[in-house]
Amino acid sequence: MGRLIVLIFILIVLGGPIALGLTRPETVPASALPEYSGNPDNGRTMFLAGGCASCHAAPNQDDATQLGGGREIVSDCGTFRAPNISPHRRDGIGSWSEAAFVNAMLKGTSPSNEHYYPAFPYTSYSRMTVADVRDLFAFLRTLPAVEGRAPAHELTFPFSVRAGIGFWKLLYFDEAPAPRDDAKSAHWNRGAYLIEGPGHCAECHSPRDFLGGIVTSQRMAGGPNPAGQGAVPNITQQPDGIADWTEDDIVELLGTGVTPEFDKVSGDMALVVRNTGQLLADDRRAMAHYLKSLAPVPAPPRN
């Protein structure tokens, strides 16, 4: 028994530094970002495709440019609160460098070199190009500075230990680029980029395992509603998904929120449509084209 205890102690001593090294937050150094003049117009497209206002617009007001944060996201881990991402220098991201913003979006790493919780969907945003992220930052800097910080997250143990997210990233954060197939049309590739990258559709339309990672084999097949009521629909070509929908049906929904059955989407999807409805029609068409190419995947059982 004494030898076993000594062995465990040695493994902890030797393995601790290795574990810390493997789970250390990653960053993109500012020196790796070449000279670039941001394009706020393209940044606005990324802002709309990413639905940034859906989470970060201050509650109880209708101006989607007032990004004071504060929206609550309730989960089994506790309550997350979206932060202020307005250009306010004290309360928002006005004092951030461009590199800090790139690291938040692509690496899930904060300016203080801590892991962000994946309630912030950097697992999808990491599929964006560096140029598009820099353009998004340029656009955000044109918006009003909003005073006030959102309250801190309220999480239960062990989820309250932020360092543990490093291990979660090892399991689920693959940083793969958005799908691209040069044998397919430019429309398909644009749609794949918008859906899988800034649009982060899989983050809600996929089931998750007990650690909160997307179940890869059921990606886009729907799952429990993160808001806690009902289920998010299957958006693959499954009969209980969107197999009977046409591209025009999807374009219409993304533009107006009206379904083929002449229902109107509500809840979080209504917030999504508030953004996608402002995209160029060609981008909505590209998103629809990509979604119609997804293989059918059965939806997970509903509890």
Side-chain angles (χ1 to χ4, degrees), residues 185-208:
S185 68
H187 236 45
W188 185 93
N189 282 292
R190 176 65 172 173
Y193 179 75
L194 292 173
I195 290 289
E196 301 285 2
H200 64 280
C201 301
E203 302 289 344
C204 282
H205 287 276
S206 305
R208 294 178 181 269

Side-chain angles (χ1 to χ4, degrees), residues 183-261:
K184 296 185 182 295
S185 68
H187 236 45
W188 185 93
N189 282 292
R190 176 65 172 173
Y193 179 75
L194 292 173
I195 290 289
E196 301 285 2
H200 64 280
C201 301
E203 302 289 344
C204 282
H205 287 276
S206 305
R208 294 178 181 269
D209 62 22
F210 72 102
L211 290 177
I214 287 176
V215 179
T216 305
S217 62
Q218 294 182 301
R219 190 176 178 88
M220 302 289 194
N225 187 347
Q229 297 180 339
V232 176
N234 188 329
I235 55 173
T236 73
Q237 299 311 298
Q238 189 75 7
D240 63 352
I242 58 172
D244 295 334
W245 290 36
T246 66
E247 282 190 19
D248 286 341
D249 290 334
I250 301 172
V251 171
E252 179 68 23
L253 181 134
L254 293 175
T256 67
V258 176
T259 73
E261 296 79 24

Side-chain angles (χ1 to χ4, degrees), residues 1-15:
M1 179 63 71
R3 290 181 179 179
L4 179 60
I5 293 174
V6 171
L7 177 59
I8 293 173
F9 177 77
I10 291 173
L11 289 175
I12 292 174
V13 170
L14 294 178

